[in-house]
Amino acid sequence: MRVMAQVAMVMNLDKCIGCHTCSVTCKQTWTNRGGVEYAWFNNVETKPGVGYPRRYEDQERWKGGWALDRRGRLVLRSGGRFARLLSLFSNPDLPSLEDYYEPVTYDYDNLLSAPAGQDMPVARPRSVLTGEPTAITWGANWEDGLGGAPEHAGADPNLSGEWAEKVRFEFEQTFLFHLPRLCEHCLNPACVSACPSGAMYKRVEDGIVLVDQDRCRGWRMCVTACPYKKVYVNHATGKAEKCTFCFPRVEAGQPTVCSETCVGRLRYLGLLLYDADRVGEAAATPDERDLLDTQRGVFLDPEDPGVRAAARESGVPEDWLEAARRSPVYDLAVRYGVALPLHPEYRTLPMVWYVPPLSPVLDAVGAAGGDQDDPDHVFAAVTRLRIPLEYLAELFAAGDTDVVGGVLMKLTALRSYMRERSLGGDGDETALRAVGLTPGEARDLHRLLAVAKYADRYVVPAAHKEDAAALDAVENRCPVGSPPSPAGPRGVALGMPTVRRRAPETPAGGRP
């Protein structure tokens, strides 16, 4: 057993209000310079929807993540070394600029310099890449609040199978929830394996995945290999950039910027101990629906004396062991099992997990003519919620509705129990026993999900001073690029653009 530590995150989707504060603060901290105007290390998507970049979840098209070959071995969907070598200078499996959006600025000078006239002057949009006038037709949050649902949401790759016919994008039938996304800092990152120059690396001390800007040659294989499409190309420097998990803050024992500024207090940060020797075996699990259990099996119990002894032998500091013991991420993902990974079928073993949203279950009970105090009626209503179980299962459980249904039933039982206690009752423990919770565990879980304080949500151990020299040697490899000095249109530093533009489509039998 080789014990390693990983900083991980859980997000409670019931609390996300889609305010995009996390996206804005991340943008201002990490991507507020030339070359990454289109890059959102953290973005909030409305589901159902095609996401950002468009249809990034369609791995038949983009070839992201891992798959099993005929011998049951893990292979990159984007191909082996020889296949990547052949596409080194012309990679067909890259999102085009139109799949993101063309970054724009505005001609604000026109507001001041326009001559007097009858019409009000306006600041017209101009492309940051070319400086020419352009039209805004897409963006990172174009579908916010289902704004573009009638035209776009039906193309969501998760809406597949016969069950998708029940989803109707009509005023009284539609549903939505917000899904914040950032780099998953996976245990088995495909981007690291696909990088020809070795620029992508996973830090040994805390598992954060970074890009060495000095080694990066802009081959863009990492963009293809990442199934979440959270690696971006800086079109000014020609190099890859991605979410850094705010490692300078984490090293100081502080939460990430997106977590610190989250209005809904839906994010949890903590440390997980895992057996590095079992990662490959877990990722190669034959049945996709078993990947969740096998990944949880990789995580180690921080209370186990044997695990703690092995961790000490591996060099994990004592205060990190204590942080792992108090980790809210371990509680939500493993101990209580209410947090689930995003698309486990990609086999990257993601380390940003989600508590799935619970629709108003008591309304569903009443609509079906059931008794809200009867656990059987309440549990039965979980299968008839406004957000289809099948859709949530496609996102968080490789299509296994039993997994998602079990989590929602546990959350439903917890709500019913705490609701009765808040109204002065003792709480009916029947529903709790049915989902495997004791009253004490229910109160602890409720405290963590509903009213956890700052110190309980963010348990981030600081880096050790005695490791400063080693960290400095590694972090001299700058993970964030700087644009070159020559300025492009509108005063933005530009290099050779490496974000492809899609060629105009040619109608059948005609010219473009």
Side-chain angles (χ1 to χ4, degrees), residues 240-269:
E241 296 190 21
K242 60 178 292 300
C243 162
T244 65
F245 216 73
C246 292
F247 71 90
R249 294 176 59 91
V250 170
E251 289 174 1
Q254 300 176 357
T256 61
V257 167
C258 59
S259 300
E260 180 84 67
T261 59
C262 177
V263 174
R265 300 182 179 181
L266 60 97
R267 300 183 185 234
Y268 301 81
L269 286 174

Side-chain angles (χ1 to χ4, degrees), residues 17 20-21 51 60 62 145 173 194 238 320 333 353 377 380 404 472 491:
I17 60 175
H20 299 271
T21 302
E60 295 298 323
W62 302 122
Q173 301 295 327
W320 281 48
W353 289 38
H377 290 185
V404 175
D472 183 64

Side-chain angles (χ1 to χ4, degrees), residues 21-328:
T21 302
C22 54
S23 299
V24 173
T25 51
C26 176
K27 186 75 170 175
Q28 289 298 315
T29 303
W30 292 104
T31 60
N32 61 347
R33 62 197 182 284
V36 283
E37 298 88 354
Y38 78 104
W40 294 84
F41 291 174
N42 182 109
N43 71 295
V44 182
E45 298 171 356
T46 296
K47 287 295 185 180
V50 297
Y52 180 77
R54 280 187 274 203
R55 292 182 60 82
Y56 71 91
E57 295 159 298
D58 182 3
Q59 303 313 327
E60 295 298 323
R61 170 66 183 89
W62 302 122
K63 313 298 183 186
W66 300 87
L68 297 181
D69 65 9
R70 295 179 179 179
R71 299 182 181 180
R73 299 175 302 181
L74 276 176
V75 293
L76 289 171
R77 283 184 178 270
S78 55
R81 294 182 181 181
F82 184 70
R84 295 200 302 277
L85 180 63
L86 292 178
S87 59
L88 201 58
F89 298 100
S90 178
N91 187 348
D93 301 320
L94 281 176
S96 67
L97 187 63
E98 287 77 12
D99 292 313
Y100 297 98
Y101 66 95
E102 186 164 7
V104 300
T105 185
Y106 292 89
D107 192 2
Y108 293 113
D109 292 340
N110 188 53
L111 298 179
L112 302 176
S113 60
Q118 297 296 322
D119 300 323
M120 178 69 69
V122 296
R124 297 184 182 279
R126 288 181 175 271
S127 169
V128 171
L129 300 179
T130 65
E132 299 298 324
T134 187
I136 301 175
T137 58
W138 191 255
N141 61 341
W142 199 260
E143 300 170 300
D144 191 21
L146 288 182
E151 294 80 15
H152 305 292
D156 186 333
N158 299 294
L159 292 174
S160 59
E162 296 180 358
W163 66 268
E165 296 180 1
K166 70 172 68 175
V167 178
R168 296 287 183 270
F169 296 103
E170 300 171 1
F171 180 74
E172 294 184 354
Q173 301 295 327
T174 191
F175 66 91
L176 72 89
F177 62 93
H178 298 290
L179 181 71
R181 289 204 311 117
L182 65 156
C183 171
E184 298 283 337
H185 296 276
C186 309
L187 291 182
N188 184 38
C191 58
V192 173
S193 296
C195 180
S197 59
M200 303 283 294
Y201 64 100
K202 186 173 178 66
R203 299 210 308 185
V204 174
E205 61 272 16
D206 54 18
I208 296 175
V209 177
L210 298 175
V211 186
D212 181 355
Q213 294 292 295
D214 293 331
R215 290 189 179 183
C216 181
R217 297 295 178 265
W219 300 124
R220 309 173 305 283
M221 297 300 170
C222 53
V223 179
T224 298
C226 175
Y228 304 99
K229 293 296 174 279
K230 278 301 175 181
V231 183
Y232 300 89
V233 175
N234 184 316
H235 62 76
T237 64
K239 299 187 178 185
E241 296 190 21
K242 60 178 292 300
C243 162
T244 65
F245 216 73
C246 292
F247 71 90
R249 294 176 59 91
V250 170
E251 289 174 1
Q254 300 176 357
T256 61
V257 167
C258 59
S259 300
E260 180 84 67
T261 59
C262 177
V263 174
R265 300 182 179 181
L266 60 97
R267 300 183 185 234
Y268 301 81
L269 286 174
L271 207 65
L272 287 174
L273 302 178
Y274 68 95
D275 185 357
D277 291 333
R278 299 175 59 187
V279 169
E281 177 187 352
T285 299
D287 191 342
E288 291 181 346
R289 298 193 174 193
D290 294 333
L291 284 166
L292 173 61
D293 291 335
T294 54
Q295 182 173 358
R296 281 179 174 155
V298 170
F299 302 142
L300 303 173
D301 185 357
E303 301 279 3
D304 188 330
V307 170
R308 297 175 72 88
R312 293 187 187 99
E313 292 179 3
S314 299
V316 180
E318 199 65 35
D319 58 332
W320 281 48
L321 293 180
E322 178 61 22
R325 191 186 65 80
R326 299 190 302 111
S327 172

